Amino acid sequence: MMNKTAGNSQAAFYVDLFPGRETMLPAANNSLPGTSGSSKSADPVVFIHIPKTGGMTLYSMIRDIYKHSELHKINPAMESIEKYKHLSQSRKDMLRVIYGHMDYRIHELLPPNSRYVTLMRNPVERVISHYHYVRRTANDPLQELAMRSSLDDWVAQCNLNEMDNGQTRRLSGSPDSVRFGECSAEMLEWARHNVQQNFALVGITERFDETYGLMSKMFDWPIKSYLPKNVAQQRSSIKEIPVRTIRLIEKFNTLDMELYEYATRLFAERLGQTDIENEIRLLKEKRENPFMLWGDAASQYAKEKLRKWLKV
């Protein structure tokens, strides 16, 4: 076992920025197409990216759909929040998508007509993916710690909030003052409330195509083939992980397990209410047609290179 030297790995996100907590959260605009304007030129979409849920793939798709001037990224740092706060109102009005590693508290800062989306992933898979991602990422400040830690230690001994019901933390909008091991049943209830009432869609990583189809329907997005981003070429399969380790991950992510199950049920209900047969058919056709596949891939690649050149 290693010593608990890591401390809280998250930055002091939103500290003292939102001193009060509303008793009731405002209802989000989570209507289906045909009810209150689902065009991508209408209400801004806010994508709350939970790490290791497939968010980079969705990022690349969003960047390919919208103009650069219509996008704004908020990073988990105070200066990023301040940068958004000091944008002119005319600049804010131009934004169609706001995205980044935020939590739901960001709603207090953003337009009231914003439509929130996120992706959730099986908590055990997400934890394993997070561990291997940090180990292979040279510029990650936690790489050294990950390299000298077993997966068991990474989960239980390193005091990393991301390993302690990280999805519930973000979707409940709980403050960073909630320390490792102190997530509560009340946080789960806040998260469940937000998922049901305040998100236009909570997609499921394991059902990414259907998630994309639903978002396409809701926001009038074009269907394009996509290339998975930030995916490990080699990592341990869950089948290779000892049962005791899986049980340990589940123990530290009990709330996430419940929230994921709840979100999965809501997702299935949404699928039952929305016909995305045409979107899924078109996606399949694009994948099977090499000219369409490489056309979409080339477009995404060119825009990604331009973004890096512009340093945005």
Side-chain angles (χ1 to χ4, degrees):
M1 285 290 185
M2 60 178 295
N3 294 327
K4 298 180 180 181
T5 57
N8 189 331
S9 67
Q10 294 181 337
F13 193 30
Y14 301 114
V15 172
D16 296 326
L17 187 60
F18 306 131
R21 181 77 186 244
E22 299 174 356
T23 303
M24 292 297 292
L25 295 172
N29 179 2
N30 58 1
S31 56
L32 288 170
T35 57
S36 66
S38 59
S39 169
K40 73 181 180 71
S41 63
D43 302 328
V45 176
V46 179
F47 173 39
I48 293 180
H49 179 194
I50 300 172
K52 306 316 300 171
T53 59
M56 288 304 298
T57 301
L58 187 55
Y59 277 169
S60 67
M61 296 157 69
I62 288 172
R63 288 172 180 150
D64 196 41
I65 294 170
Y66 292 87
K67 299 177 183 177
H68 168 65
S69 60
E70 297 176 321
L71 304 173
H72 186 81
K73 183 176 182 179
I74 295 181
N75 292 311
M78 188 61 65
E79 57 266 26
S80 185
I81 298 293
E82 291 298 319
K83 181 179 179 181
Y84 176 82
K85 289 173 65 178
H86 287 91
L87 293 178
S88 67
Q89 190 57 51
S90 61
R91 176 73 182 103
K92 290 179 180 178
D93 290 343
M94 292 174 61
L95 299 178
R96 300 273 57 86
V97 178
I98 300 167
Y99 62 103
H101 289 306
M102 309 169 282
D103 66 53
Y104 186 66
R105 279 173 295 172
I106 196 68
H107 82 274
E108 299 176 37
L109 192 64
L110 301 182
N113 62 328
S114 299
R115 307 183 72 190
Y116 292 81
V117 298
T118 193
L119 288 165
M120 288 196 70
R121 185 178 184 180
N122 177 289
V124 175
E125 289 279 7
R126 192 181 85 90
V127 164
I128 296 170
S129 177
H130 182 275
Y131 173 67
H132 287 285
Y133 169 77
V134 176
R135 285 172 65 90
R136 72 175 186 269
T137 305
N139 63 349
D140 193 293
L142 294 176
Q143 189 197 38
E144 181 180 349
L145 177 63
M147 293 302 293
R148 67 172 187 262
S149 302
S150 67
L151 178 55
D152 287 30
D153 285 346
W154 186 252
V155 173
Q157 298 295 320
C158 293
N159 287 357
L160 303 173
N161 281 357
E162 203 63 58
M163 298 297 95
D164 174 31
N165 297 293
Q167 298 182 90
T168 300
R169 286 175 179 271
R170 290 183 189 274
L171 300 187
S172 66
S174 298
D176 295 307
S177 58
V178 178
R179 294 182 294 183
F180 181 85
E182 295 185 354
C183 294
S184 65
E186 182 182 15
M187 289 171 59
L188 175 60
E189 289 308 307
W190 275 109
R192 285 166 60 101
H193 171 85
N194 291 336
V195 165
Q196 182 182 40
Q197 298 294 330
N198 298 323
F199 275 76
L201 182 68
V202 174
I204 303 298
T205 303
E206 291 80 4
R207 305 183 72 171
F208 196 93
D209 282 359
E210 293 160 302
T211 296
Y212 179 25
L214 283 172
M215 289 186 181
S216 173
K217 194 90 168 185
M218 295 172 69
F219 305 127
D220 194 25
W221 289 354
I223 290 292
K224 297 186 178 184
S225 55
Y226 60 86
L227 300 175
K229 301 289 185 180
N230 220 12
V231 178
Q233 297 300 313
Q234 294 182 340
R235 50 149 279 199
S236 301
S237 165
I238 193 171
K239 296 179 180 179
E240 301 171 350
I241 304 297
V243 173
R244 69 176 186 280
T245 300
I246 293 176
R247 296 294 172 260
L248 183 68
I249 296 172
E250 292 174 344
K251 174 184 175 182
F252 280 88
N253 291 273
T254 302
L255 304 184
D256 273 9
M257 298 293 288
E258 292 189 41
L259 184 62
Y260 175 75
E261 181 180 350
Y262 180 69
T264 300
R265 290 202 306 268
L266 292 182
F267 184 81
E269 291 175 8
R270 176 61 66 87
L271 278 176
Q273 299 167 0
T274 314
D275 180 10
I276 60 169
E277 182 178 347
N278 184 63
E279 285 75 14
I280 297 300
R281 177 189 57 77
L282 184 56
L283 182 57
K284 182 179 179 181
E285 288 178 357
K286 282 180 170 285
R287 283 186 178 143
E288 293 175 349
N289 186 316
F291 295 103
M292 299 173 74
L293 175 64
W294 286 108
D296 289 346
S299 173
Q300 293 176 28
Y301 178 80
K303 290 188 177 182
E304 184 69 14
K305 285 293 185 182
L306 178 61
R307 184 187 67 83
K308 290 181 178 180
W309 182 69
L310 295 173
K311 297 182 180 180
V312 294

